[in-house]
Amino acid sequence: MTASHPPRSESAPHLDSTAQLIGGIVSRLAGQLRLVPPPVRRPAPPALVLVAHGSRDPRALTTVRALMARVRDLRPGLPVHLGHIELNEPLLPGTLAALGDARAVLVPLLLSRGYHVGQDIPGMAAAAAARTRTAAPLGPHPLLAETLHDRLLEAGWPPAMDGTARRSSAVVLAAAGSRDPDSATDTRRAARLLADRLGVPVIPAYASAATPTVPEAVRALTESGRHRVAVASYFTAPGRFASQCAQAAPWIAAAPLGAHEAMARLVLHRYEQSLTERSTQAA
């Protein structure tokens, strides 16, 4: 008796050919994937370190921290740190030590060239293991003129003036002062930028180390027929010098630059600028 075999399904050849087809497709895809290069990992951006001067006035630290928060809001994901030259924690050497040998860009919250920019900050950077470069100081720059203008408007400067009002008005740009001639050059340029924006004379004056003083500048303008003299505060944050200069204002005194949105944009501009200028490398 002959053994019987189960009838072969008519679909078996079809299933076999389908499996072969799928196997061929998978094999070809695997070969193509081997040709695709692995994704390139971009290095993390250098950290941004805000370098503040430091002050015994507690409002200064509050202001700098508010500015730091604005910078972080504008550039999510960018590591942003703070270091002070003196008087406040964290001090810059400690901030740099915490970074180890990471890359960082130091952005001075200073408004002109001078000893701190030329000596103090580069010296602290050179002593650290972090691979740093130092950006230019914030000033002079049109974004500072924008901030100064807004602070004057907040203090009561009229948004529009007729010819008579312009002829009787002027501004003293009150700055910290330095014996470095480059610092005075930068402050004069900042005064010209603000004068172009306001359409009235803007005279730079200083709280220390340079002349004219703010009271001297106010007196000279008053004697020349400018009876409405405002004081614009060319300081990053409140402090002793800013308060002294404001007291000399015969009309209105503006607040320091502070955590204005244009200041945060300027910080990021200096950060980006430093990455494209090899000459700014500090260590």
Side-chain angles (χ1 to χ4, degrees):
M1 184 175 178
T2 305
S4 61
H5 296 279
R8 184 172 180 176
S9 171
E10 294 180 359
S11 63
H14 174 70
L15 291 173
D16 290 344
S17 61
T18 300
Q20 290 171 358
L21 178 62
I22 292 174
I25 292 173
V26 170
S27 178
R28 285 195 296 274
L29 285 175
Q32 291 173 1
L33 288 173
R34 283 195 294 269
L35 297 175
V36 176
V40 177
R41 257 186 208 180
R42 298 186 179 277
L48 190 163
V49 179
L50 297 173
V51 184
H53 182 277
S55 171
R56 292 184 176 86
D57 190 321
R59 296 174 298 169
L61 182 56
T62 300
T63 300
V64 171
R65 284 177 172 163
L67 177 58
M68 183 166 61
R70 272 195 178 272
V71 172
R72 285 173 170 159
D73 289 343
L74 289 177
R75 190 67 60 84
L78 176 66
V80 182
H81 306 275
L82 173 63
H84 292 88
I85 297 171
E86 59 182 359
L87 299 176
N88 288 120
E89 296 286 346
L91 293 171
L92 181 56
T95 298
L96 294 178
L99 291 174
D101 63 353
R103 295 187 303 151
V105 175
L106 313 185
V107 180
L109 296 182
L110 303 171
L111 304 175
S112 64
R113 292 169 290 174
Y115 189 84
H116 291 314
V117 172
Q119 302 296 325
D120 285 339
I121 296 174
M124 294 177 190
R131 292 166 290 157
T132 65
R133 57 176 61 212
T134 302
L138 298 184
H141 194 276
L143 286 171
L144 289 178
E146 176 184 333
T147 307
L148 289 165
H149 185 200
D150 283 355
R151 294 302 187 218
L152 284 166
L153 291 173
E154 292 167 1
W157 184 269
M161 284 186 179
D162 59 21
T164 301
R166 289 187 187 281
R167 286 189 292 273
S168 65
S169 302
V171 173
V172 172
L173 183 64
S178 170
R179 293 183 178 84
D180 190 321
D182 288 337
S183 176
T185 298
D186 291 344
T187 306
R188 285 194 296 269
R189 288 179 59 198
R192 286 197 296 271
L193 289 171
L194 183 58
D196 291 342
R197 194 176 186 96
L198 296 175
V200 302
V202 177
I203 306 300
Y206 305 97
S208 69
T211 56
T213 65
V214 173
E216 288 170 346
V218 168
R219 185 164 54 251
L221 286 167
T222 302
E223 291 173 353
S224 70
R226 303 278 173 171
H227 300 296
R228 296 201 309 173
V229 179
V231 172
S233 187
Y234 201 45
F235 297 92
T236 305
R240 179 169 59 91
F241 281 165
S243 298
Q244 288 176 354
C245 292
Q247 291 170 2
W251 178 30
I252 60 175
L257 299 161
H260 193 284
E261 192 266 345
M263 291 285 285
R265 287 190 283 129
L266 180 53
V267 166
L268 288 169
H269 169 69
R270 292 301 192 211
Y271 170 84
E272 296 292 349
Q273 187 180 46
S274 75
L275 295 179
T276 61
E277 294 181 358
R278 297 180 65 86
S279 62
T280 63
Q281 191 167 3

